[in-house]
Amino acid sequence: MPHNQDPEQWREYHVTPRYLAGSTYTAGPALRPLVNLGWKLTRDELGNVYVASPDHTVRVGYLPEGEDATLWKITAYFDPFAMPRWLVTFQNSTPTEIVAGFTTALAAAYTDGPDSYLYYGNDTLADLDVGTPLAAAGWSHRYGTTDVSFHSPDGLAEVHLRRHPLDHHAEMTGHQERWLMHAGPPGDRWYATASSFTPEGLVAAMNTALTDPAPVIRYGYGLDRLPPQATATPVKPPVPTPLDVRRAQAANARTTVPPPASARPVIPAPPPPSTPQVPRPGHSR
């Protein structure tokens, strides 16, 4: 049976933890929250996809044919013609659901206004508050001389917060980052970054999406790309409820067509009963 007709290849699996599930290499789930706001979507001749807010203060690039391993670049601007205010990136193996968690929060922040998606408190305590989703998920943390690091219980995911001064130009060109998250077994890790001035709520959304315990859906054809530490469980088909059964029975009854008249046996009608002749009085035969 050809690959694309093999039912097992398209069987759905629940994969946990989600940070080991890998990318689906589809842009739709992460771009949908922004396109639903009316943001303009364009494509180039290579297959890269770009989405921009109506005022061009936020831009999102899905770059499968980009110059490096960065699949997603997201920037925000005070002035559309100036250097970006902040930059967030996701490497090409980042689980799509984590990117979608960020863009969903970005769509909500843009709807709230510039205070939510452009401004940043630039407060050390606010930085630590952004790590609350990690602590709530049971991640450990360590204070270093120049950073704070968070580690997942299985040791396969980390988030680092740089606390020393950084050069803004170096951050906007991808050579430095305020936040760095990466996950996966040694030698096969994906990474994501967030620069200084990325609003606390958006960074918190990244961390929340990273630690979400809910499984994500992957298909049979991609299971060989999962690391051995990931767990894949077949998704069971839904069990029909009694109401589902009654509806199905009613639907079958409505679609039952009686056989055509030509196919029914013809039974002749019985002859009418004969009436005996009774002689009339005074009449002879």
Side-chain angles (χ1 to χ4, degrees), residues 57-76:
T57 57
V58 185
R59 300 172 191 168
V60 178
Y62 172 73
L63 309 170
E65 298 300 328
E67 297 179 352
D68 52 30
T70 301
L71 184 60
W72 295 89
K73 290 183 179 180
I74 304 168
T75 51

Side-chain angles (χ1 to χ4, degrees), residues 15-32:
V15 176
T16 56
R18 60 172 46 200
Y19 50 74
L20 297 182
S23 176
T24 62
Y25 298 99
T26 55
L31 293 181
R32 190 172 300 116

Side-chain angles (χ1 to χ4, degrees), residues 1-271:
M1 182 180 295
H3 170 84
N4 59 359
Q5 297 181 10
D6 184 356
E8 183 58 32
Q9 296 295 321
W10 295 100
R11 186 173 185 179
E12 292 183 333
Y13 288 81
H14 280 144
V15 176
T16 56
R18 60 172 46 200
Y19 50 74
L20 297 182
S23 176
T24 62
Y25 298 99
T26 55
L31 293 181
R32 190 172 300 116
L34 307 174
V35 174
N36 287 346
L37 290 181
W39 293 24
K40 184 178 180 181
L41 184 149
T42 58
R43 296 180 173 87
D44 65 18
E45 66 279 3
L46 299 177
N48 299 309
V49 180
Y50 307 91
V51 172
S53 63
D55 59 3
H56 294 279
T57 57
V58 185
R59 300 172 191 168
V60 178
Y62 172 73
L63 309 170
E65 298 300 328
E67 297 179 352
D68 52 30
T70 301
L71 184 60
W72 295 89
K73 290 183 179 180
I74 304 168
T75 51
Y77 305 77
F78 283 133
D79 179 345
F81 296 99
M83 182 178 291
R85 170 70 171 170
W86 55 259
L87 166 69
V88 167
T89 71
F90 298 94
Q91 188 256 359
N92 55 20
S93 297
T94 305
T96 307
E97 294 79 4
I98 294 175
V99 184
F102 179 85
T103 56
T104 299
L106 177 60
Y110 184 82
T111 302
D112 289 342
D115 286 350
S116 295
Y117 71 92
L118 277 177
Y119 292 94
Y120 178 78
N122 202 24
D123 183 348
T124 301
L125 293 179
D127 286 338
L128 298 180
D129 287 342
V130 170
T132 299
L134 305 172
W139 288 37
S140 61
H141 63 276
R142 179 187 59 81
Y143 288 92
T145 56
T146 60
D147 72 344
V148 180
S149 59
F150 302 83
H151 301 263
S152 63
D154 61 8
L156 295 174
E158 300 176 12
V159 175
H160 299 272
L161 165 62
R162 318 295 187 193
R163 303 180 69 187
H164 57 278
L166 299 175
D167 180 77
H168 186 66
H169 183 270
E171 288 193 83
M172 295 304 100
T173 54
H175 293 95
Q176 295 180 359
E177 69 283 325
R178 180 63 62 189
W179 290 89
L180 170 66
M181 65 170 60
H182 52 89
D188 187 22
R189 294 196 148 195
W190 60 264
Y191 63 84
T193 69
S195 73
S196 303
F197 307 120
T198 306
E200 299 99 314
L202 298 183
V203 180
M206 292 174 65
N207 290 338
T208 298
L210 175 68
T211 58
D212 190 337
V216 296
I217 295 291
R218 294 294 184 268
Y219 293 96
Y221 64 80
L223 296 185
D224 57 346
R225 296 197 297 265
L226 295 178
Q229 298 88 343
T231 299
T233 306
V235 176
K236 295 181 180 179
V239 178
T241 65
L243 179 59
D244 294 331
V245 173
R246 290 197 297 272
R247 285 174 174 168
Q249 291 172 341
N252 289 335
R254 288 194 299 271
T255 56
T256 300
V257 180
S262 60
R264 301 173 191 167
V266 178
I267 302 175

